[in-house]
Amino acid sequence: MVELKNINSLYHLNNGVTIPCVGYGTFRTPADVAEQAVADAIDVGYRLIDTAAVYGNEEAVGRGIKDSGINRHRLFVTSKLWNDHRGYDKAKQALDETLERLQMDYLDLYLIHWPANEKQFGARAAEINAETWRAMEEAYHEGKIRALGVSNFMPHHIIELMKTAEVAPAVDQIEVHPGWPHVEEVKYLQAHNILVEGWAPLGGQGAEVMTNPTILQLAEKYDKTPAQLCLRWLIQRGVLPLPKSVHKERMVQNTQLFDFEISDEDMQKITALPNLGGQCADPDAVDF
Ligand SMILES: NC(=O)c1ccc[n+]([C@@H]2O[C@H](COP(=O)([O-])OP(=O)(O)OC[C@H]3O[C@@H](n4cnc5c(N)ncnc54)[C@H](OP(=O)(O)O)[C@@H]3O)[C@@H](O)[C@H]2O)c1
């Protein structure tokens, strides 16, 4: 187990690339806010920045990174291939467009945002994911991407992908927060040396995670905020949280996670909480 001392303590991915143990999320951060928000996030210490083509803010995120004055090589930048660019040719195009918008010549991590599923694509779903992955592998070998990953892939999607993949995913980014712990999936991924990133670690917008009485009571017990308690619960499970905030004081708060430890008993209490809202989507049931 790696000893994590601050948000930029590093995990080693399965290809040897290192990644900070906490990242900064940009979902629902509008383009006109994202530039300043990302510059602020880097200013308060974040080095892992998570964006996606579908967020519509890659250009602003790229500008925020430039504004920060921090050398690109000291940052870890992730983006994701959106669902309308699946398949070999479109995936290649998607990556080039993302790099162009970010004004970068490589990404640290590129993810398939959602697996093509059988509900929409029937028996072709697995082949579509395999073809998308093949394009990403080529870009990886060309040096345009330092690590490859997936998002919202459940174990059975990974098993299917590995039938044709040459490069195993280094990361799977899935929804993880109190009330949606994804216990079995996290166990499977970690056993297969795939780092789990947790999206919506605070439950996302509108969830009841941070007003849940157990969360409030435990936050008080540890003299921490509900957000800090949630993020620490992910960290102690070996899951990399990606909190999003456009407020600088919250960005800072969301980094102060390394001066307390949740007991095993309290970890289990949090893991056992019922569904408290969030997106909680089944990747095999979505139709986007
Ligand atoms: N791969 C995927 O399919 C996927 C899906 C969703 C998200 N993601 C990634 O994961 C990141 C995080 O998920 P998310 O943005 O949905 O949700 P989140 O980080 O769980 O929650 C963000 C919400 O919590 C608020 N917040 C942040 N810090 C707080 C604090 N200390 N105290 C109180 N409220 C706080 C934010 O408000 P303010 O901004 O107003 O502070 C915002 O409304 C995204 O930004 C994105 O990068 C990936």
Side-chain angles (χ1 to χ4, degrees):
M1 197 72 182
V2 195
E3 199 198 341
L4 305 176
K5 294 185 176 156
N6 58 54
I7 60 164
N8 292 313
S9 291
L10 299 169
Y11 288 120
H12 281 82
L13 298 176
N14 61 16
N15 66 348
V17 166
T18 55
I19 180 170
C21 68
V22 176
Y24 175 73
T26 64
F27 179 42
R28 292 202 177 98
T29 303
D32 59 342
V33 177
E35 178 173 353
Q36 186 61 49
V38 166
D40 285 349
I42 295 171
D43 184 49
V44 306
Y46 293 89
R47 292 294 175 267
L48 191 181
I49 308 295
D50 184 89
T51 183
V54 76
Y55 300 168
N57 60 16
E58 286 177 314
E59 285 179 4
V61 167
R63 285 198 302 273
I65 286 172
K66 277 226 167 77
D67 298 347
S68 76
I70 298 284
N71 189 299
R72 164 71 185 93
H73 299 294
R74 293 179 53 209
L75 298 169
F76 190 102
V77 181
T78 303
S79 194
K80 314 183 192 86
L81 175 137
W82 187 239
N83 304 348
D84 57 0
H85 278 74
R86 292 175 176 131
Y88 180 82
D89 291 327
K90 283 192 183 166
K92 293 216 134 181
Q93 184 196 341
L95 173 64
D96 288 341
E97 289 172 0
T98 276
L99 289 171
E100 173 72 29
R101 285 190 292 263
L102 284 164
Q103 288 289 296
M104 290 176 188
D105 50 14
Y106 72 95
L107 284 177
D108 294 280
L109 177 65
Y110 196 41
L111 309 176
I112 300 182
H113 208 142
W114 289 84
N117 64 21
E118 290 185 9
K119 181 183 176 197
Q120 286 186 81
F121 298 100
R124 286 180 48 240
E127 189 191 329
I128 294 170
N129 290 325
E131 284 297 286
T132 307
W133 193 253
R134 186 164 67 86
M136 287 169 55
E137 286 178 329
E138 280 187 15
Y140 173 73
H141 292 308
E142 286 164 11
K144 289 183 179 176
I145 310 169
R146 294 179 66 231
L148 293 184
V150 291
S151 176
N152 301 301
F153 273 52
M154 297 296 108
H156 73 92
H157 301 116
I158 306 245
I159 291 166
E160 192 62 45
L161 189 72
M162 286 313 296
K163 289 182 184 167
T164 52
E166 286 172 15
V167 179
V171 167
D172 193 357
Q173 186 179 119
I174 60 176
E175 183 172 1
V176 183
H177 49 77
W180 198 250
H182 261 144
V183 173
E184 291 308 317
E185 290 78 7
V186 169
K187 209 182 288 173
Y188 174 89
L189 294 165
Q190 290 177 340
H192 289 80
N193 208 8
I194 298 172
L195 181 75
V196 183
E197 291 187 335
W199 62 256
L202 309 174
Q205 249 179 24
E208 288 168 25
V209 173
M210 286 194 289
T211 53
N212 172 265
T214 302
I215 295 292
L216 293 175
Q217 180 228 323
L218 289 175
E220 196 177 334
K221 171 175 169 181
Y222 290 97
D223 198 18
K224 285 287 169 177
T225 66
Q228 290 168 328
L229 183 82
C230 292
L231 297 170
R232 181 73 203 181
W233 170 79
L234 270 84
I235 288 171
Q236 285 186 217
R237 297 180 63 207
V239 177
L240 186 162
L242 296 166
K244 169 262 174 188
S245 177
V246 295
H247 297 101
K248 208 166 179 179
E249 69 284 359
R250 285 179 172 173
M251 293 178 195
V252 173
Q253 189 193 116
N254 296 345
T255 67
Q256 295 167 339
L257 312 171
F258 300 90
D259 56 355
F260 74 116
E261 182 150 353
I262 305 172
S263 71
D264 289 348
E265 191 189 341
D266 291 337
M267 284 294 292
Q268 282 164 25
K269 246 190 230 174
I270 301 171
T271 305
L273 285 169
N275 191 324
L276 302 169
Q279 203 162 314
C280 304
D282 172 357
D284 288 317
V286 299
D287 47 19
F288 51 80

